Amino acid sequence: MATNNGGAAFPSAGVVLSNQAQRQQGAYEGMTLRDYFAAKAMQAILAHLTQGIRPQDCISAADDAYFLADAMLKAREQ
């Protein structure tokens, strides 16, 4: 089952490029809403670390951030 990514976080009405043109110009829709939610959650998680940031903290924080992002997307469906 595919993960709900929420679609584009900041959709814009603009020039619609073919997939080929997007690849050539590097133009994409940008981050998904899931990524945006995870980034916001990650910021809050890391801000509350009191011992500094260690590599294992980053991995755990990223997992937690996407867990929270998925919960936010699920809450939007209700």
Side-chain angles (χ1 to χ4, degrees):
M1 184 170 134
T3 300
N4 175 11
N5 68 16
F10 305 103
S12 62
V15 177
V16 177
L17 301 172
S18 69
N19 287 338
Q20 173 97 13
Q22 286 178 359
R23 283 191 293 276
Q24 290 171 351
Q25 296 179 18
Y28 297 97
E29 290 182 3
M31 72 168 43
T32 65
L33 193 54
R34 182 176 186 251
D35 290 332
Y36 179 74
F37 285 163
K40 291 295 190 175
M42 176 80 106
Q43 185 177 18
I45 291 165
L46 294 179
H48 287 90
L49 291 179
T50 58
Q51 302 290 326
I53 300 173
R54 300 170 300 178
Q56 61 269 31
D57 295 330
C58 294
I59 294 167
S60 177
D63 289 340
D64 293 346
Y66 275 102
F67 178 80
L68 290 168
D70 291 339
M72 286 186 268
L73 288 170
K74 186 166 180 67
R76 292 179 84 225
E77 295 172 1
Q78 299 175 0

